[in-house]
Amino acid sequence: MLHPKLLVLDEPTSDLDAAAIAEMRELITQLKATGITIVIAEHRLAWLNGIADRYVIFDNGRISHEYEASEFLALSPGCIAAMGLRTLDLQPYRKRIALLESQTNECELTASDTGDGSNTTPLLSTRHLNIGYRGRDGFSRTVPDLDFYSGQIIGLMGHNGCGKTTLVRTLTGLIKPVSGKVMLNGKPAKPRDLTRAGFLVMQDVNYQLFSDSVREELLLGLNETNPVVIKRCVQVLENLDLIRFADRHPMSLSGGQKQRVAIGSALMCGKDLIILDEPTSGLDRYHMEQVGDLLRQLAAQGKTVLVVTHDEELAAGWCTAIINLEHPYLKTE
Ligand SMILES: Nc1ncnc2c1ncn2[C@@H]1O[C@H](COP(=O)(O)OP(=O)(O)OP(=O)(O)O)[C@@H](O)[C@H]1O
Ligand SMILES: [Mg+2]
């Protein structure tokens, strides 16, 4: 609205779905054609192919490399990865997601996916569930019957506004279902039971960081005098590259660092159900991969991991099943 000559965008796509990114790209192409200078700080690089003229790479507060677009786009995938940058080509990831989506349907989210088949009761299930917000014009939608088993990493995908956050808030008891049931270990569960059973890393982690230091944040609600708990806290801080920030105030950290603190709390909580809403939206390649590996560790410990994500690299690389809330077979309305 202000007709700027210079437009600076700080991770404009971090919470956007693929279609919204394509629209953003179109808008930026139009703005560029009017002669505006545009500077974009990004981790997700693929959508910039063909519209960015120069790439400037920062490392530790300094410029480490600078390229004309043609030079940058000619770099090999190995070289891009070695610089810690995310992929320039999403096609292989999209193929894998399409495969996982097609394999995952209501029937296939069954005990056979648990590997040894030993656990035949799902940890969490939905039955005839309708989610949303009450009131006139309030959003509501039905959710297919789903079963989530121990050891799975389930990706939950779908367009902006299709109800992913509303679903995970319902599954963790933060809001009540409009109708239908959520079951824990085969028994109908009240919102209170769900809040006790699961841990949610929120889409906006600013809502869930309460303590004065990163260390205290991870120890919240735990016995801080227990040496086993303290040792585990140090281990989690190390695993998430947070040890050097242990005494910092969480609000003094960058977006991606805050995200990792909230994930650290999830790793500490000891609950069987871990739900993460866009856990890698502000993360570079290295930290995205680190989060993916931690999710895998949680699943290997027998936890059920549900991850809401638009991050195609995370979904393709780490999810064992993908539910797209907008997949044709899930269109229930
Ligand atoms: N507190 C609220 N009260 C009323 N409506 C809401 C509330 N929060 C979200 N909505 C509406 O519910 C719908 C689903 O929102 P939700 O946050 O679940 O989407 P989402 O799939 O997580 O989207 P995104 O990919 O953008 O995070 C949207 O139309 C939104 O406007
Ligand atoms: Mg959301």
Side-chain angles (χ1 to χ4, degrees):
M1 293 295 290
L2 298 174
H3 302 295
K5 291 200 171 60
L6 170 69
L7 186 62
V8 181
L9 303 167
D10 191 358
E11 296 202 42
T13 64
S14 62
D15 276 341
L16 298 189
D17 63 51
I21 292 178
E23 280 172 32
M24 162 85 75
R25 185 188 149 91
E26 182 54 36
L27 181 68
I28 288 181
T29 307
Q30 287 170 16
L31 288 170
K32 183 181 167 188
T34 67
I36 295 180
T37 299
I38 302 168
V39 179
I40 305 172
E42 255 303 11
H43 289 303
R44 297 164 106 180
L45 297 175
W47 72 279
L48 293 168
N49 291 3
I51 57 169
D53 299 301
R54 276 170 62 213
Y55 290 82
V56 181
I57 321 284
F58 280 77
D59 191 14
N60 267 323
R62 287 171 192 279
I63 292 176
S64 65
H65 298 85
E66 217 176 327
Y67 299 97
E68 291 302 318
S70 56
E71 290 174 283
F72 185 72
L73 296 174
L75 295 173
S76 69
C79 182
I80 294 288
M83 283 198 286
L85 303 177
R86 283 173 172 247
T87 187
L88 300 182
D89 177 15
L90 283 169
Q91 280 321 312
Y93 300 88
R94 290 187 172 153
K95 269 196 194 143
R96 169 91 185 137
I97 289 172
L99 180 72
L100 281 168
E101 270 179 20
S102 67
Q103 287 171 348
T104 308
N105 61 41
E106 292 162 70
C107 307
E108 282 171 350
L109 276 175
T110 61
S112 59
D113 276 359
T114 60
D116 61 4
S118 56
N119 185 0
T120 50
T121 308
L123 175 75
L124 188 76
S125 315
T126 66
R127 292 291 178 268
H128 312 295
L129 184 64
N130 194 294
I131 55 169
Y133 304 91
R134 288 177 197 280
R136 212 161 60 91
D137 304 330
F139 167 83
S140 83
R141 66 160 289 162
T142 52
V143 176
D145 289 352
L146 299 167
D147 290 318
F148 301 121
Y149 287 86
S150 141
Q152 290 184 316
I153 304 176
I154 304 120
L156 191 59
M157 303 186 84
H159 284 134
N160 290 127
C162 76
K164 301 177 300 298
T165 295
T166 307
L167 175 59
V168 296
R169 294 184 73 203
T170 310
L171 295 179
T172 45
L174 297 179
I175 53 175
K176 287 186 187 162
V178 174
S179 61
K181 272 190 265 188
V182 181
M183 326 245 281
L184 263 178
N185 295 311
K187 297 191 186 113
K190 297 205 165 72
R192 176 172 7 111
D193 307 325
L194 295 170
T195 308
R196 225 174 272 145
F199 188 99
L200 174 63
V201 176
M202 294 181 186
Q203 184 161 13
D204 183 347
V205 293
N206 289 306
Y207 287 116
Q208 69 185 144
L209 300 174
F210 303 110
S211 304
D212 292 334
S213 75
V214 169
R215 188 192 315 276
E216 283 173 46
E217 190 65 47
L218 263 64
L219 291 170
L220 205 66
L222 302 172
N223 180 358
E224 294 177 34
T225 56
N226 180 340
V228 178
V229 172
I230 294 169
K231 195 168 162 216
R232 189 156 156 62
C233 177
V234 171
Q235 187 65 54
V236 168
L237 286 170
E238 274 171 2
N239 286 349
L240 283 164
D241 264 348
L242 288 170
I243 198 81
R244 66 203 152 111
F245 304 119
D247 297 315
R248 282 265 294 272
H249 197 290
M251 287 302 154
S252 72
L253 300 178
S254 78
Q257 291 159 352
K258 281 186 206 164
Q259 197 97 43
R260 275 145 53 207
V261 174
I263 292 167
S265 297
L267 294 170
M268 290 297 293
C269 75
K271 296 185 178 180
D272 290 334
L273 173 65
I274 307 289
I275 302 184
L276 307 101
D277 195 353
E278 299 283 356
T280 58
S281 55
L283 300 191
D284 59 30
R285 182 192 199 106
Y286 173 77
H287 291 107
M288 178 270 292
E289 291 179 347
Q290 198 178 42
V291 167
D293 290 342
L294 289 167
L295 299 185
R296 205 171 272 162
Q297 279 179 29
L298 288 170
Q301 288 165 18
K303 298 188 189 290
T304 305
V305 181
L306 180 57
V307 50
V308 175
T309 192
H310 294 299
D311 186 335
E312 290 156 304
E313 290 168 83
L314 179 81
W318 282 270
C319 290
T320 55
I322 291 181
I323 298 165
N324 188 329
L325 278 185
E326 285 170 331
H327 199 282
Y329 74 79
L330 295 181
K331 288 268 183 227
T332 46
E333 283 173 320

